[in-house]
Structures are given as structure tokens and as C-alpha cells.
Amino acid sequence: MHFSIPDTQDFVNENSGSSFTGFNIHINGTFHCCLRYKQLHSLHEQLKRSLSTLVLPTFPPKKFFPLTPSQLEERRAGLERYIQLVGQDPVLSKSELLRTFLLNAQQESSYTESQETTLDVYLMNGFRIAVNAYTTECSTKVLEKACDNIDLPREYAYYFALFLMRKENDGSVTLTRKLMDFEAPFITQRIHHECKIVIRKNYWDPCYDLELMRDNIALNLLFIQTLSDIDRGWILTTKEARDQLTKLQTHGNKKEFLEIARNLSSYGVILFPRAIVDYPEENTQTTITIGNKELCTRMMVGKKVQEAKFKVTRMRCWRVTTIHNDISSESMNNRHKWELSFEYLMSKNCLKWITVASEQAMLMSVCLQSMVDELLNQKSGADVNNMQVHRSNYTPLCYIRRDGSSGMISDSSSSDTISSLNEIDMGSRGGSRMDASSVRRKIKEKISTTVFFRSGRESVHNEAFEGIGDDDL
């Protein structure tokens, strides 16, 4: 997980006139919640007790007097550093205590009541699955219910995940991001109302297809996604292969269809349109695909597709930065421009930085990280996507709200979340009350404005890089 705290919010208690600061927490480039210092401090203390064998990062110290602007900035930077270190720790980041905290923080920040609803989840062919869920249930729980509705055996559910997908004006689709385990799909989709929630497979290595192809429902999900990706041009085919696939599709031979598709070089990739790279030349317009242990650029040269492939195991590190567009630029709609830069081993002892400018640069970074995680999981013998969380020793979370009240919360897989914040008189408890529509507007304004690596110098180190030998060059 990539955490950042790019800015803060000021809250005022209308009854007492007192004020406090809320820190805007962004995860993987998207606003997630706004929390007070004392809420994060409470999380730190509970993590310390729950995971007593681990050494936690140092938490920024308390101050006994009102903070000056410079001290507030120091606290923001300290909290950001702390939560980034938590997010990078393989044990802390998968702690059920942290997941439950983040789920409830999202609910509190969005002022969402916990109540039953019907959530639409789609397959890649447009088939709608009506899921009866709670507005505050986490993605994993919603995924399980959606899979139950189509009779997919539970042991195969974790090979898939929920994603947000947006249909563009030209009819193409854009995969905007994967829903994290600890976020509530209902709340997230309410913010990204132009997106649909879709089910796609949650792994990169096609060897895992073989296990899924043993079950008819899982086989059908793979077939639907593959057919959709071919039709949309994500998976490139030759005329001969396309004729074979069309024939097999017509006869309903799904397994044989997949056997051929799995041998295509672009099988299983995610496509990112409208990117600009500085390789082989500056300002080269291209589309990006990520999959098959590589990042690939595609560009049309005449009537042929020309590709440049960069293996993930030869990326020493990468980073994501933002460039603020010129305010007078109408062509860019004053949107922030993201850049993914990676240091690539071009040849032995020759490293070169390559930069990709795209509004989806953060998702590209997340994809690279998940690909590396999968490689490391395979090496260590862990499960397919390391999603399954052991809850046997889980300690209930004591969640402190921004107004100072608190309650015990069970794990993130249940519907037991904090009480309806719309019914709490926050002003009488020392906090500030804001109407829900105002909060949603504030959240909407935060989308796509995060600076992940503020300095532009910090990078994600690729642990899989260490395994490169002379034979790989």
C-alpha cells in the first residue's frame, strides 16, 4: 500500500469554538479518509499491543501546546512517514486490526450509515450480479457474496477481485483501480459514480488458470474476461489465431479457447491508454500494457504495432510523481499529470531512467508492485495472491471517532462497524458537525490531487531485482 498525507483540513466546533486538524490520508493515490492525530495514535498503541513481537515505526510525539504552522507541517510529515512505513511492512500492512481501522475511518469520513443495500457487480461481458450487502461492508465480503450468487466455490473466490471500470466517450473502457480489501465498495462507488464495479482475476501468472479451469463456473469467468479483452484490443491476436478462437467460441469450446488464448503474448495484460514516454524518443505517444512480468509500450508505426518490453525483474526501482499543469492550459483541463519513472537495467552495468506520463501512473505502480509481490510469494510458497488473512488471534479494534467517542469493532469481514455518524450530535461531543453532502464534495475535490512521493526522489525498491543473473541480460 502506498500511503500519503498531502494536506490537512481544519475543523471547528460551532458550540465551543475550539478547533482541531484533520489529516487527509490517501492510499494508492486516492483520498481515503480524514483522521485526527489522536486517532492515528490510538491505532499505533493497539498495533503495538496486538503485534508485540514487532518493532513498530516511531510515532510522532505529542505536543502540550497549540501547534505553530511549522510544527503542524512537521507533524504532517511525521505522520506521513509513519504510515508509509506501516504500509511497506509485510506484516503490519496485512494486519486485520489495520484493515478494520481503515474501513471504519472511510465510513466516518464519508458520513455513511451502515444499512442494507443492493450493490450492482458486473462481469466483463456486462452481466449484472445484484449483491445484497451492507453499505459499509468491505470489498472482500462483497466479492464473496457476488461469487456465492453465481455459485463459484469459495476456494476460488480469492483468485478474483473487484475493480472500478469506466466507459469512455469513444466506447472504450478504462480500468481505474482495484478495490482494496479494507474499503467499502458502496462508499467508493458513490464517489466514483461514473464507474462500474467489475470482477476480474486477481493474479498475473497464467499458470493459476489451470486450477480455475477445473471448475465450470471459474472456467466461464476466465472465458468471459478473455473474450472481452480480445474484443477490446487488450489481447493482440493474429488473423489465424482469431479465426481459431472464433470457431471455438461458436462451438462453445471454452477450455480449448483458453488454451489458445493463454499462448498469446499479451494474454492477461491490463491496458493503459493515452500515455507519453521518453523512450525511444522524448514525447512518444503510446499505450501501456502491464502483464507477463513486464511493462510494454505499444505504438502504431504505419499499419503495424511496434512494442518495447521492459521486464519487471530488471527494474531496480520506480517512483510516482505529479506535475501540476499550467493553469492557462485548456487542453489539459487543469488536471494534474502523473509520471511513473523506473530505473531499468538496459544492459550489464547500464541503468537508465524511463518515464511514463499518464493519469493512470499510480495504478501502473500498484500493478508493478503486485506483480513483484506475486513473484516473491511464489518463491516463498505463499498462497496465490496472499489475500487470505488469518483472524484466529484477532483482537477487536477500539475505534476512536473524531469527536472523541469510541466503540469496539469486530473484524473487517463483518457488518459490525461504527454507529451511524449521521445520527451523532458531534457538536455536543466536542467535534464538528458537517452535513453529508458537504463532506462528499470535499472528498470529490480530493480525488486525483495526491502527491505520492512529494520530493520526487524517493522510490519503491524492487526486491525481485536482486535475482537477476548474467543469463537474464
Side-chain angles (χ1 to χ4, degrees):
M1 288 185 288
H2 302 316
F3 285 95
S4 63
I5 305 179
D7 50 21
T8 62
Q9 292 186 52
D10 293 325
F11 292 84
V12 177
N13 183 344
E14 295 179 357
N15 293 332
S16 66
S18 61
S19 63
F20 61 86
T21 299
F23 296 88
N24 294 318
I25 311 292
H26 292 240
I27 303 175
N28 294 342
T30 301
F31 175 82
H32 183 78
C33 60
C34 183
L35 296 167
R36 296 182 68 172
Y37 171 88
K38 67 179 182 181
Q39 292 178 288
L40 290 166
H41 183 264
S42 173
L43 170 66
H44 171 72
E45 292 298 317
Q46 292 181 76
L47 286 172
K48 190 162 59 174
R49 291 193 297 269
S50 174
L51 301 169
S52 56
T53 58
L54 295 181
V55 178
L56 269 68
T58 302
F59 195 83
K62 292 182 178 180
K63 304 287 185 181
F64 296 101
F65 300 100
L67 300 181
T68 65
S70 62
Q71 289 175 326
L72 180 61
E73 170 57 21
E74 181 182 350
R75 172 169 285 184
R76 183 210 61 76
L79 290 174
E80 181 177 64
R81 182 60 178 164
Y82 169 82
I83 201 165
Q84 284 177 347
L85 291 172
V86 168
Q88 293 166 11
D89 187 282
V91 176
L92 290 174
S93 62
K94 293 178 175 62
S95 162
E96 183 59 22
L97 196 69
L98 177 63
R99 295 175 188 224
T100 305
F101 176 85
L102 292 173
L103 176 64
N104 284 274
Q106 183 191 32
Q107 179 190 353
E108 180 183 16
S109 297
S110 64
Y111 288 74
T112 301
E113 283 189 56
S114 182
Q115 59 186 17
E116 291 184 282
T117 188
T118 299
L119 196 61
D120 290 337
V121 177
Y122 293 86
L123 303 183
M124 289 303 296
N125 62 355
F127 179 81
R128 182 177 69 91
I129 305 170
V131 179
N132 295 322
Y134 283 88
T135 55
T136 55
E137 277 187 318
C138 69
S139 298
T140 303
K141 190 68 174 178
V142 173
L143 171 67
E144 291 172 349
K145 289 184 174 182
C147 291
D148 288 344
N149 283 6
I150 58 176
D151 297 324
L152 179 70
R154 182 60 63 84
E155 62 264 29
Y156 295 128
Y158 305 109
Y159 285 80
F160 297 90
L162 301 179
F163 293 79
L164 288 181
M165 186 179 74
R166 182 180 69 237
K167 188 172 184 178
E168 307 294 354
N169 293 332
D170 61 2
S172 63
V173 298
T174 299
L175 212 61
T176 60
R177 67 185 181 90
K178 174 188 168 184
L179 294 179
M180 305 297 289
D181 309 347
F182 51 76
E183 66 181 311
F186 175 85
I187 298 175
T188 299
Q189 191 185 38
R190 188 173 60 181
I191 299 169
H192 301 271
H193 57 82
E194 74 281 4
C195 295
K196 287 184 176 180
I197 299 173
V198 299
I199 294 179
R200 290 181 62 89
K201 64 183 185 181
N202 190 31
Y203 57 86
W204 298 99
D205 194 329
C207 72
Y208 296 118
D209 291 345
L210 300 177
E211 175 64 26
L212 293 180
M213 289 166 67
R214 297 169 57 185
D215 177 81
N216 287 334
I217 303 297
L219 170 67
N220 196 43
L221 289 178
L222 286 180
F223 172 76
I224 288 171
Q225 177 176 321
T226 304
L227 183 60
S228 170
D229 289 355
I230 290 174
D231 289 342
R232 292 188 169 94
W234 291 26
I235 300 176
L236 300 179
T237 62
T238 63
K239 184 181 184 305
E240 180 183 359
R242 189 63 184 258
D243 290 343
Q244 284 183 290
L245 292 170
T246 301
K247 184 177 179 180
L248 292 170
Q249 178 189 351
T250 302
H251 290 85
N253 296 329
K254 298 177 182 178
K255 189 169 289 188
E256 292 85 347
F257 180 99
L258 285 171
E259 289 292 354
I260 293 176
R262 291 174 67 249
N263 290 318
L264 298 172
S265 61
S266 52
Y267 174 79
V269 304
I270 291 180
L271 183 141
F272 304 87
R274 301 181 298 276
I276 298 175
V277 299
D278 59 0
Y279 181 89
E281 299 176 350
E282 292 285 343
N283 299 318
T284 299
Q285 296 189 15
T286 183
T287 58
I288 300 291
T289 64
I290 293 181
N292 298 318
K293 305 176 185 177
E294 62 190 19
L295 181 150
C296 176
T297 65
R298 289 182 187 173
M299 59 201 81
M300 292 300 298
V301 179
K303 293 184 178 181
K304 292 186 178 181
V305 177
Q306 181 174 310
E307 296 183 329
K309 298 182 178 181
F310 303 93
K311 294 182 179 180
V312 69
T313 51
R314 291 173 64 171
M315 296 179 185
R316 192 182 72 85
C317 60
W318 66 83
R319 62 176 180 243
V320 176
T321 55
T322 59
I323 296 178
H324 294 266
N325 300 311
D326 188 341
I327 289 180
S328 63
S329 173
E330 296 181 2
S331 61
M332 295 300 293
N333 264 339
N334 297 331
R335 297 180 68 176
H336 293 147
K337 187 176 181 180
W338 295 85
E339 287 188 345
L340 168 71
S341 300
F342 56 91
E343 192 176 23
Y344 193 73
L345 189 62
M346 304 297 292
S347 59
K348 193 170 184 179
N349 300 323
C350 178
L351 287 161
K352 175 182 175 63
W353 279 98
I354 295 172
T355 298
V356 179
S358 169
E359 65 180 73
Q360 291 185 284
M362 184 61 75
L363 179 57
M364 294 179 191
S365 173
V366 173
C367 288
L368 292 176
Q369 185 62 59
S370 64
M371 199 177 298
V372 169
D373 289 343
E374 184 173 286
L375 289 170
L376 296 176
N377 285 342
Q378 290 175 334
K379 187 176 181 179
S380 65
D383 62 81
V384 56
N385 48 36
N386 212 19
M387 272 185 57
Q388 300 181 45
V389 180
H390 300 289
R391 300 187 174 95
S392 57
N393 298 321
Y394 173 67
T395 303
L397 168 74
C398 178
Y399 185 80
I400 298 178
R401 303 179 183 89
R402 282 200 300 258
D403 67 351
S405 60
S406 62
M408 301 301 294
I409 308 295
S410 60
D411 64 72
S412 65
S413 66
S414 75
S415 58
D416 177 22
T417 56
I418 56 177
S419 301
S420 168
L421 293 171
N422 289 327
E423 297 175 358
I424 296 176
D425 183 5
M426 299 186 72
S428 65
R429 298 190 182 185
S432 63
R433 181 172 178 82
M434 302 172 66
D435 66 272
S437 61
S438 172
V439 172
R440 291 181 194 122
R441 283 196 300 272
K442 284 181 175 292
I443 292 175
K444 188 68 177 177
E445 291 168 0
K446 294 295 175 186
I447 301 301
S448 300
T449 61
T450 304
V451 179
F452 171 37
F453 295 115
R454 297 175 65 87
S455 66
R457 292 188 296 271
E458 298 179 72
S459 303
V460 175
H461 177 71
N462 180 8
E463 295 179 56
F465 180 85
E466 304 298 339
I468 295 178
D470 290 341
D471 292 340
D472 296 307
L473 300 178

